[in-house]
Amino acid sequence: MSPENNHLWNETLAQVREMILPHQYHTWIEHLTFQEQSDRTLILSSPNYFIKEWIDKNYANPLAMAAEKVLGFRPVVEILVEEPPSEPESQTSPQPKQTDALRVEEKKRQSEFEIQLNRNYTFDNFVVGPCNRIGHAAALAVVENPGHAYNPLFLHGSVGLGKTHLMQSICHAMLQRQENAQILYLSCESFVNQFISAIQKGDIETFRYKYRHVDMILIDDIHFLANKERTQDEFFHTFNVLYNAHKQIILSSDAAPKEIPSLEDRLVSRFKWGLVTQMQAPDFETRVAILQRKAKLRNRVLPDKEAQFIASKIDTNMRELEGAVVKVLGYASLANRDVDIPLIQEALSDTLETQQKKITLEHVKDAVVESFGVKLSELQSKRRHKSISHPRQIAMFLARELTDYSLEEVGGYFGGRDHTTVMYAADKIRQNSKIDSTLMATLENLTRQIKKAQG
Ligand code: ADP
Ligand code: MG
């Protein structure tokens, strides 16, 4: 093979790699060797029939598409089979042996893919209560009957209520049933980033192939699509292709579809085609059960009385509860003491104090007014001049981050604005702070001031 051809083949492989999942690439495509390219035919060879047939059946298209990108025309791809090595064993049963080896390989690759899943986020570890019963039942139904039970399944609710845990439980259960199921689980942020990089590379086709050839797609935190028109448009088409092929779509968000800022109507309506369900904050009994389950996961026992004590103090979300368990158990083993109420009070003294002294909207307002030299009346006015609207958006962002007030309450306080304005403002500041280090420093400064004033 000439160096030139070698280079073209490597380029082709790189393209294929972008189109399919890593374990598919390693299990199948990697075994191919380039033989020659004559006229419009690309001749490859495979170590055996099994691989050849599988690739002919499943990967002929991506291969031809990838080669087309490199060669500038779409070649006919022909896969030859190399002579099998004449081992004594392979004469009796050559095929099963290869197949077994491939299975092992496939399993190994599969587990690479699973690394992106948290091992503990399974149905077994998910505590069911009135707050999440419907979401849990729907998730089970989707595993039983993917693409048909509820499509799409849309889980929403505020942070720490188990959306990610439930989605990953679905992935684990699906992979347990069918180890080579083609499942994509990713954050919406990663979808957006990959889309942007595909546009930059001028290679939207590869991106599309990847997202449109799966059995199930789970996109976490889909509210990240807010205000991103082009990605929304792309996702709309991805959605349609998968939906029409009866592939299961599962989405999570911190808000109901119609509350995601500037989400296109056609997406809002599609998100409601299947089942939309809200994950609620846990009630007392569920909180106790979660605390005990989290202790058990760490091979420790949290007695009822102690669990109830913590549950009565922490009533926000599952993440806080888990954090409390970690703190209490860690404290107990460091101090080499039993877990009892006095120990819990010591271990959680920080958390319990801040729970009592809550940050208010006044704290936020005071810090912003002082730092930007604006007047409260201006913050609460309808004025849209940037010198006023910027601090106002920052105030809304901080109110969302640091207080428990609802979107409506925050909007009401800062000039009678509706909840979408607050969501939009908070989202904008959050996004900008990621790329603007001055803004990030301002936010950190303000947060410090607010906490100081409140504490
Ligand atoms: P979200 O994605 O809604 O923000 P997560 O799924 O990340 O929330 O959950 C936060 C933490 O709380 C995780 O560690 C998760 O395991 C735990 N958790 C949430 N809901 C439950 C539940 N019902 N049972 C057990 N653990 C839960
Ligand atoms: Mg999450």
Side-chain angles (χ1 to χ4, degrees):
M1 183 182 5
S2 72
E4 163 72 350
N5 277 335
N6 197 1
H7 171 72
L8 292 177
W9 174 234
N10 285 336
E11 276 287 295
T12 306
L13 285 177
Q15 294 289 342
V16 179
R17 204 186 257 272
E18 298 269 301
M19 291 181 191
I20 62 182
L21 298 172
H23 71 273
Q24 298 172 329
Y25 180 87
H26 292 301
T27 314
W28 305 107
I29 305 299
E30 211 170 61
H31 297 281
L32 292 176
T33 335
F34 174 83
Q35 293 298 325
E36 60 174 291
Q37 184 218 319
S38 71
D39 205 9
R40 301 208 148 223
T41 307
L42 179 63
I43 302 178
L44 309 170
S45 70
S46 139
N48 59 40
Y49 269 105
F50 185 67
I51 294 185
K52 169 194 158 50
E53 280 174 9
W54 191 273
I55 294 180
D56 280 341
K57 198 163 141 242
N58 298 289
Y59 301 109
N61 242 333
L63 261 179
M65 274 164 65
E68 182 179 9
K69 284 199 186 124
V70 178
L71 301 170
F73 61 88
R74 185 172 289 222
V76 175
V77 178
E78 202 170 302
I79 302 176
L80 309 175
V81 178
E82 289 162 21
E83 285 296 303
S86 51
E87 289 170 38
E89 250 186 12
S90 69
Q91 265 152 21
T92 45
S93 58
Q95 216 64 334
K97 196 181 162 221
Q98 279 291 357
T99 318
D100 279 353
L102 281 168
R103 283 247 169 75
V104 172
E105 183 76 353
E106 171 86 3
K107 215 170 177 166
K108 222 170 76 200
R109 301 302 174 192
Q110 196 76 52
S111 62
E112 263 173 37
F113 163 68
E114 273 177 56
I115 286 173
Q116 296 158 22
L117 298 177
N118 184 322
R119 270 193 303 149
N120 290 325
Y121 289 2
T122 59
F123 281 119
D124 282 347
N125 288 334
F126 191 84
V127 175
V128 184
C131 55
N132 56 27
R133 180 158 284 129
I134 298 178
H136 176 256
L140 288 177
V142 159
V143 172
E144 283 301 321
N145 202 355
H148 297 278
Y150 303 110
N151 207 15
L153 173 59
F154 192 100
L155 302 166
H156 70 98
S158 58
V159 57
L161 296 182
K163 303 180 295 293
T164 297
H165 187 138
L166 208 46
M167 288 175 105
Q168 297 201 6
S169 302
I170 296 175
C171 297
H172 285 299
M174 290 298 299
L175 289 170
Q176 211 163 28
R177 289 181 166 217
Q178 196 196 333
E179 73 187 31
N180 53 4
Q182 293 179 26
I183 299 176
L184 263 185
Y185 166 84
L186 73 161
S187 67
C188 185
E189 182 165 7
S190 141
F191 185 84
V192 171
N193 290 341
Q194 291 185 41
F195 177 62
I196 292 171
S197 103
I199 295 177
Q200 282 165 352
K201 281 191 281 179
D203 188 6
I204 212 69
E205 208 179 336
T206 307
F207 174 88
R208 288 191 178 142
Y209 188 90
K210 176 168 173 191
Y211 288 102
R212 295 179 187 186
H213 289 77
V214 292
D215 298 326
M216 181 183 276
I217 193 164
L218 303 96
I219 302 192
D220 212 345
D221 296 323
I222 196 81
H223 54 264
F224 198 76
L225 281 184
N227 309 313
K228 299 185 182 67
E229 288 107 36
R230 272 193 80 181
T231 322
Q232 286 187 23
D233 191 48
E234 181 61 31
F235 184 68
F236 173 76
H237 295 291
T238 308
F239 185 101
N240 290 344
V241 170
L242 293 173
Y243 184 88
N244 290 334
H246 299 290
K247 305 298 186 191
Q248 181 69 46
I249 302 162
I250 303 174
L251 307 168
S252 82
S253 160
D254 67 0
K258 70 170 178 354
E259 281 163 8
I260 299 175
S262 81
L263 186 68
E264 293 177 16
D265 287 344
R266 54 186 187 164
L267 277 177
V268 174
S269 80
R270 272 167 180 73
F271 289 175
K272 295 195 283 194
W273 277 354
L275 180 76
V276 176
T277 177
Q278 183 173 10
M279 312 279 282
Q280 312 271 0
D283 56 278
F284 180 75
E285 288 77 8
T286 311
R287 298 203 296 276
V288 173
I290 300 241
L291 290 165
Q292 293 185 321
R293 182 71 62 91
K294 296 294 175 189
K296 197 169 162 217
L297 264 182
R298 291 167 176 78
N299 293 318
R300 303 282 285 276
V301 176
L302 192 61
D304 290 347
K305 196 168 126 225
E306 282 69 22
Q308 287 167 8
F309 177 75
I310 302 176
S312 69
K313 299 286 179 193
I314 298 178
D315 60 0
T316 44
N317 64 49
M318 324 288 193
R319 184 168 290 142
E320 302 282 332
L321 291 170
E322 182 158 26
V325 171
V326 172
K327 264 196 197 160
V328 167
L329 296 181
Y331 197 88
S333 59
L334 270 182
N336 200 15
R337 281 166 53 189
D338 287 338
V339 174
D340 52 19
I341 308 274
L343 178 124
I344 293 173
Q345 278 168 328
E346 281 172 50
L348 300 183
S349 59
D350 288 358
T351 327
L352 299 182
E353 256 172 46
T354 48
Q355 290 257 324
Q356 278 154 15
K357 292 189 215 147
K358 288 206 165 128
I359 296 176
T360 64
L361 293 176
E362 279 74 28
H363 289 123
V364 173
K365 173 261 297 174
D366 287 344
V368 172
V369 162
E370 192 189 303
S371 155
F372 286 90
V374 286
K375 297 199 200 85
L376 172 61
S377 60
E378 287 175 323
L379 276 189
Q380 294 181 329
S381 71
K382 300 276 174 215
R383 287 186 56 194
R384 284 161 181 248
H385 191 271
K386 189 144 194 283
S387 66
I388 308 292
S389 66
H390 183 61
R392 188 187 293 130
Q393 287 180 332
I394 288 185
M396 290 177 173
F397 166 81
L398 292 169
R400 289 299 289 159
E401 293 288 311
L402 303 174
T403 76
D404 293 334
Y405 292 93
S406 69
L407 290 167
E408 283 77 12
E409 286 167 326
V410 174
Y413 185 80
F414 291 106
R417 292 174 159 80
D418 72 8
H419 66 277
T420 54
T421 309
V422 181
M423 277 184 94
Y424 174 79
D427 188 55
K428 185 175 155 198
I429 298 296
R430 189 174 302 118
Q431 298 307 334
N432 288 350
S433 69
K434 285 187 192 157
I435 45 173
D436 177 348
S437 54
T438 319
L439 175 60
M440 179 61 102
T442 307
L443 296 177
E444 281 169 3
N445 233 332
L446 285 166
T447 304
R448 223 172 296 124
Q449 279 177 39
I450 292 168
K451 288 196 167 153
K452 217 165 86 193
Q454 163 263 346

